[in-house]
Amino acid sequence: MPSANASRKSQEKPREIMDAAEDYAKERYGICSMIQSQEKPDRVLVWVKDLTVQKADEVVWVRGRVHTSRAKGKQCFLVLRQQQFNVQALVAVGDHASKQMVKFAANINKESIVDVEGVVRKVNQKIGSCTQQDVELHVQKIYVISLAEPRLPLQLDDAIRPEIEGEEEGRATVNQDTRLDNRVIDLRNVLGNILQQTSTSQAVFRLQSGICHLFRETLINKGFVEIQTPKIISAASEGGANVFTVSYFKNNAYLAQSPQLYKQMCICADFEKVFCIGPVFRAEDSNTHRHLTEFVGLDIEMAFNYHYHEVMEEIADTLVQIFKGLQERFQTEIQMVNKQFPCEPFKFLEPTLRLEYCEALAMLREAGVEMGDEDDLSTPNEKLLGRLVKEKYDTDFYILDKYPLAVRPFYTMPDPRNPKQSNSYDMFMRGEEILSGAQRIHDPQLLTERALHHGIDLEKIKAYIDSFRFGAPPHAGGGIGLERVTMLFLGLHNVRQTSMFPRDPKRLTP
Amino acid sequence: MPSANASRKSQEKPREIMDAAEDYAKERYGICSMIQSQEKPDRVLVWVKDLTVQKADEVVWVRGRVHTSRAKGKQCFLVLRQQQFNVQALVAVGDHASKQMVKFAANINKESIVDVEGVVRKVNQKIGSCTQQDVELHVQKIYVISLAEPRLPLQLDDAIRPEIEGEEEGRATVNQDTRLDNRVIDLRNVLGNILQQTSTSQAVFRLQSGICHLFRETLINKGFVEIQTPKIISAASEGGANVFTVSYFKNNAYLAQSPQLYKQMCICADFEKVFCIGPVFRAEDSNTHRHLTEFVGLDIEMAFNYHYHEVMEEIADTLVQIFKGLQERFQTEIQMVNKQFPCEPFKFLEPTLRLEYCEALAMLREAGVEMGDEDDLSTPNEKLLGRLVKEKYDTDFYILDKYPLAVRPFYTMPDPRNPKQSNSYDMFMRGEEILSGAQRIHDPQLLTERALHHGIDLEKIKAYIDSFRFGAPPHAGGGIGLERVTMLFLGLHNVRQTSMFPRDPKRLTP
């Protein structure tokens, strides 16, 4: 265990300093024994963000990470960090601190967690490098709660270098892999430019938590019920491509590519409106900026009365409520991310712009693209279309309705007025698809015909088709990719930035 | 495709009747062509639950399922159902309905979905068999929207037979399997006793949706951040037992047995307080009333200052907020379930009762149980203890703290005051475990020692141990089983009643 040895060694250095000589401040610093819940002291720890001039001259206890330390003669300046906040702390030889104590403080490894007792002092000149600019902490006691190893696995200089523009199709940069390999440190955002006070990674995932919250809040207010659907399934529902196989006791099973069958069963069971949030699995060997083998699906399914637009509009409105909620409640996070990754604010219309596929084709053709009526959109054409729509309608969010039947799954309801079209739609953010949805076929006979047309083995989807045999209301729905919504709302360029622990064909760790 | 034939056949019967003879009401009934979103009529559908005397003499459109139908001379009585509500509808020969129309209505297969236009009429005598007791609908038009097959796969008489008392360890009753095999119909709750108006299955899952909502609402108010953790992992974290293997491109991967490593990494990354809701997978060949191979985990992890009780109390309070919220917001659902499965209301104390393991041992020994100090609790002893605690403290919910170190996982923090104890706890509802939690070891050196003590291959948990090398705050957490909480809150007896599509060693469908 070389790493265990390394850890032991790192702890010796500050210990040596501590034990070196007679020291009047001996009791005022040191390495705490591990917190094992030995006691419940009534000590109050103050948050770094609350260290302001209102607390001037108070003695407080603070727990934080040693962000930087800098010894200077008989003084040591520490920056203590707590999430996105930090404050300057001064250990100076005097009544409280000895020479040894200053040396001890100066030698604490970066990223270690310390408990500090100190007096809050107003400063005359603002401290530009800290979030708490008007005060500093004059340290009277300092104890290490958890000592970090001396060498961090991330080279900060590498990590704050901007992403290579136009990174595409598998050319993950070294930076990104280093970040992902050391996500625990990356997420603390020691990577952000300290002077800019950015804390991108934390902000991204706090905002992502907000997306989930707004999604559910909106849908629960609209009368939806949250359901939980199984991820281990007995048969690959869409014919078996791109599906992960699981050993299930003596048999094989599969990981669900979407909760769709289960959402539809709930509709057939009269739940009327359901949603779920959960992992979906795609065994695609795609190494692009927007594909993951495991991602989080925000899924909706809803019975309607006469037209699938009832559902499509409900979904679009849900997304609009999310965008509004993010802009209202997460402005701090949006601005933090923008500092590191500049981007125009996300624009949307109310009600949401709806274009038909044939209109989009006309726009693309006018821009010089050659495409057949029943061709699917390529990624570059999607992006081009996004730019054309933005120019013409000034929105980053729109619905593309009435896809060619030929490019959609077998369970998609054909358009009764045009047999080459279907009652299906995608939704786009900044020119990239974030949702795919449709009216589903609720009639077992038509469903059987369409499955046969697609060459699907009816035996494998028997349970699915049987779900519609005992009275099924017309219904529609869709699935949203959480990581894509986060990425595109913030104008980031890779889903790996918005998946905390991403999975792709080449990455399964941490 | 014999089943497709069956479906075609079933549609012929009402068609024959319709086409039989000249009929003045011809346009007023029939089988609609499939709703393919042909049009957007401005027809308003009224909810069954809104059909009250306030609407008397109004003409309304209603969509519902044919729950029952009964022809009687020149009349046909239908019960139309919409989720848990139903109303009586009368088709009688007269100005609006012909003989043929009455016959058509009487022959619509049960569970078919129909659109009905009718006049709401106040009735003189309450209709005891319907939720809408004061009105009935005098039908003027009736169209079948989705025709059910004539024979339902569930035998109602079998299905409403009460569960066999004391069903235990794998003896799933035939009823339950029939229910689960036909979940789409079971969830509609045609199974409940019609006269009692129960709709147990829907109520159970509406309440379960509420548990998730209350869990998140409470934690977001407490400052927690929701995270998403990967389910496909590269190594089995606790040594490899009971883990499902996944084929991952050219390699093997595993399904996560818990999100714990990832929750802890978030704590090491300074998220401070996190939670997640997601599937967890256990490849245990356990066929009991409370084990599933896939269930939904409500997981919490939180940094603390000095004592893990700070976290334990936060978790217990979260559960208390859930119990309170359920009793406030879901009284209707609780009462519906209680009608079919009678049970005493769930009792809890504030603050939550905390017992130490040694106290529990003393209580059990006093009741005649022979147990060693470091023995784990068996299921029967857990239940007995639950009864003893209920008698003594009048609570169905309590914390059992300070488990023997020997029966807990390697990452559990030992109790510094008693080397045979640990800083770990379980929480119980009605005598069954619903949460297991502990202070985690945040020191890589002690973690290494404990892993070695448990005979775990250090190479396999290297990434886990490395997460703690760069400064880790003391922290604790726990994982709650959603299906168990739902089951025990409602006093049900099998997690298969509270998992919509349960997975166990013998069940992978639907």
Side-chain angles (χ1 to χ4, degrees), chain B residues 383-396:
Chain B
K383 286 190 180 170
L384 172 57
L385 183 61
R387 286 195 296 276
L388 298 173
V389 170
K390 181 75 183 273
E391 265 171 39
K392 190 164 172 185
Y393 300 98
D394 197 29
T395 178
D396 290 308

Side-chain angles (χ1 to χ4, degrees), chain A residues 38 216 226 231 294 417, chain B residues 38 216 226 294 417:
Chain A
Q38 292 88 339
R216 286 185 297 242
E226 180 176 12
K231 305 308 164 198
E294 177 181 345
R417 299 184 188 187
Chain B
Q38 292 89 337
R216 286 185 297 242
E226 180 174 12
E294 177 181 346
R417 300 185 187 183

Side-chain angles (χ1 to χ4, degrees), chain A residues 302-308 310-311 439 473-476, chain B residues 35 37 63:
Chain A
M302 177 179 154
F304 63 81
N305 293 339
Y306 298 105
H307 202 290
Y308 73 96
E310 299 165 31
V311 179
Q439 177 179 355
H475 61 287
Chain B
I35 293 183
S37 310
R63 177 170 295 174

Side-chain angles (χ1 to χ4, degrees), chain A residues 8 37-38 65 115 188 216 226 231-232 248 268 270 293-294 306 417 423 439 445 503, chain B residues 8 36-38 65 115 188 216 226 231-232 248 268 270 293-294 306 417 439 445 503:
Chain A
R8 213 164 278 141
S37 311
Q38 292 88 339
R65 286 191 191 271
D115 273 10
R188 287 181 203 160
R216 286 185 297 242
E226 180 176 12
K231 305 308 164 198
I232 303 181
Y248 197 77
C268 294
D270 292 346
T293 52
E294 177 181 345
Y306 298 105
R417 299 184 188 187
N423 293 348
Q439 177 179 355
Q445 212 165 326
R503 296 292 181 254
Chain B
R8 211 163 282 142
Q36 274 188 278
S37 310
Q38 292 89 337
R65 285 190 190 272
D115 274 9
R188 288 181 202 161
R216 286 185 297 242
E226 180 174 12
K231 304 309 166 199
I232 304 181
Y248 196 77
C268 294
D270 293 346
T293 52
E294 177 181 346
Y306 299 105
R417 300 185 187 183
Q439 178 179 356
Q445 212 165 327
R503 296 294 181 252

Side-chain angles (χ1 to χ4, degrees), chain A residues 265-273 471 473, chain B residues 65 81-83 111 113 184 187-188 202 206:
Chain A
M265 286 174 77
C266 289
I267 297 302
C268 294
D270 292 346
F271 276 87
E272 184 90 16
K273 301 168 168 188
Chain B
R65 285 190 190 272
R81 194 185 77 235
Q82 203 173 60
Q83 295 181 337
E111 292 303 303
I113 298 173
V184 164
L187 287 171
R188 288 181 202 161
Q202 283 248 343
R206 285 177 185 275

Side-chain angles (χ1 to χ4, degrees), chain B residues 414-425:
Chain B
D415 182 345
R417 300 185 187 183
N418 179 343
K420 296 202 162 181
Q421 282 186 5
S422 65
N423 292 348
S424 70
Y425 42 84

Side-chain angles (χ1 to χ4, degrees), chain A residues 357-358 361 365 371-377 402-408 418-422 450 453:
Chain A
Y357 200 82
C358 54
L361 275 185
R365 282 169 182 159
M371 267 182 74
D373 286 351
E374 291 181 79
D375 288 351
D376 205 353
L377 285 174
K402 298 266 167 231
Y403 268 67
L405 183 61
V407 303
R408 306 298 274 196
N418 179 342
K420 296 203 163 181
Q421 282 186 5
S422 64
R450 295 296 305 160
H453 179 83

Side-chain angles (χ1 to χ4, degrees), chain A residues 19 44 58 128 161 182 204 213 241 253 305 327 337 374 377 407 423 428 437 441 461 465:
Chain A
D19 299 339
V44 175
E58 285 182 30
R161 193 181 302 152
N182 300 285
V204 166
H213 185 54
N305 293 339
Q327 289 180 345
V337 178
E374 291 181 79
L377 285 174
V407 303
N423 293 348
F428 291 85
I441 298 173
I461 56 166
I465 295 180

